[in-house]
């Protein structure tokens, strides 16, 4: 059984700029919140995101999925639990569960590809970073298989 503890918990206070006219967090803000949670998770695990840069790699977003469950509003404190969902040779999928006072508001995942910064192409995640990521709790949820082609717009 996978460890249910998150690798990191990120908190963010909802600002007026995050909300639509009804005072509800706009759907476009969750990717920003989740990206900040990912950066803070890596900072908590590695000491600094710059550790990746020192090794000549960066993580670039390859795919994302978000399900909106309940509204969050201005001045709510979002609690975003972050978990490593999958760890491949060149990819890292992180899961995000956002809640307000224990009420789930959004859940999602981002798949990142490890890129070599000098050559700008996919590169294996360095062994020392893999060890840190493998020690962290892994989500009990499995990431959906990547889509081979984008869905047609309707």
């Amino acid at each position: 059984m996978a460890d249910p503890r998150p690798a990191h918990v990120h908190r963010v206070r909802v600002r007026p700029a995050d909300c639509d006219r009804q005072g509800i967090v706009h759907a476009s803000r969750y990717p920003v919140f989740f990206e900040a949670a990912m950066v803070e998770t890596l900072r908590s695990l590695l000491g600094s995101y710059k550790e990746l840069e020192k090794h000549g790699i960066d993580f670039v977003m390859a795919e994302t999925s978000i399900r909106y469950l309940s509204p969050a509003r201005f001045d709510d404190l979002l609690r975003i639990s972050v978990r490593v969902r999958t760890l491949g040779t060149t990819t890292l999928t992180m899961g995000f569960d956002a809640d307000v006072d224990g009420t789930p508001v959004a859940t999602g995942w981002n798949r990142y590809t490890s890129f070599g910064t000098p050559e700008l192409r996919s590169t294996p995640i360095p062994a020392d970073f893999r060890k840190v990521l493998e020690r962290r709790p892994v989500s009990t949820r499995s990431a959906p298989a990547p889509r081979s082609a984008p869905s047609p717009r309707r």
Side-chain angles (χ1 to χ4, degrees), residues 1-10 33-34 36-42 44-45 79-87 91-99 104 106-112 132-143:
M1 184 167 151
D3 190 329
R5 296 172 301 159
H8 182 75
V9 175
H10 179 68
F33 296 153
F34 290 174
M38 175 271 212
V39 170
E40 291 305 318
T41 298
L42 291 179
S44 76
L45 297 175
R79 179 183 178 276
I80 303 170
S81 298
V82 183
R83 290 177 178 77
V84 174
R85 289 180 70 167
T86 61
L87 184 60
T91 62
L92 165 65
T93 303
M94 298 185 111
F96 307 94
D97 293 304
D99 72 77
T107 187
W109 54 266
N110 292 344
R111 184 171 54 88
Y112 300 93
V132 170
L133 294 167
E134 288 169 344
R135 282 197 313 255
R136 298 311 306 161
V138 176
S139 175
T140 56
R141 298 178 187 170
S142 59

Side-chain angles (χ1 to χ4, degrees), residues 1-19:
M1 184 167 151
D3 190 329
R5 296 172 301 159
H8 182 75
V9 175
H10 179 68
R11 289 174 177 80
V12 62
R13 180 75 59 185
V14 177
R15 305 165 305 157
D18 299 323
C19 298

Side-chain angles (χ1 to χ4, degrees), residues 1-120:
M1 184 167 151
D3 190 329
R5 296 172 301 159
H8 182 75
V9 175
H10 179 68
R11 289 174 177 80
V12 62
R13 180 75 59 185
V14 177
R15 305 165 305 157
D18 299 323
C19 298
D20 61 19
R21 291 181 58 176
Q22 291 78 38
I24 295 172
V25 173
H26 193 273
S28 67
R29 299 305 296 158
Y30 285 96
V32 175
F33 296 153
F34 290 174
E35 186 75 4
M38 175 271 212
V39 170
E40 291 305 318
T41 298
L42 291 179
R43 183 186 323 282
S44 76
L45 297 175
L46 306 175
S48 170
Y49 196 88
K50 291 186 186 290
E51 288 302 313
L52 291 171
E53 295 169 355
K54 288 179 189 173
H55 285 82
I57 66 164
D58 195 4
F59 284 113
V60 296
M61 179 127 28
E63 189 173 6
T64 187
S65 176
I66 299 173
R67 178 169 291 159
Y68 306 98
L69 306 171
S70 183
R73 293 180 166 78
F74 167 67
D75 208 35
D76 281 347
L77 183 62
L78 286 176
R79 179 183 178 276
I80 303 170
S81 298
V82 183
R83 290 177 178 77
V84 174
R85 289 180 70 167
T86 61
L87 184 60
T89 303
T90 62
T91 62
L92 165 65
T93 303
M94 298 185 111
F96 307 94
D97 293 304
D99 72 77
V100 173
D101 296 327
T103 300
V105 295
T107 187
W109 54 266
N110 292 344
R111 184 171 54 88
Y112 300 93
T113 299
S114 173
F115 253 55
T117 52
E119 62 275 0
L120 298 178

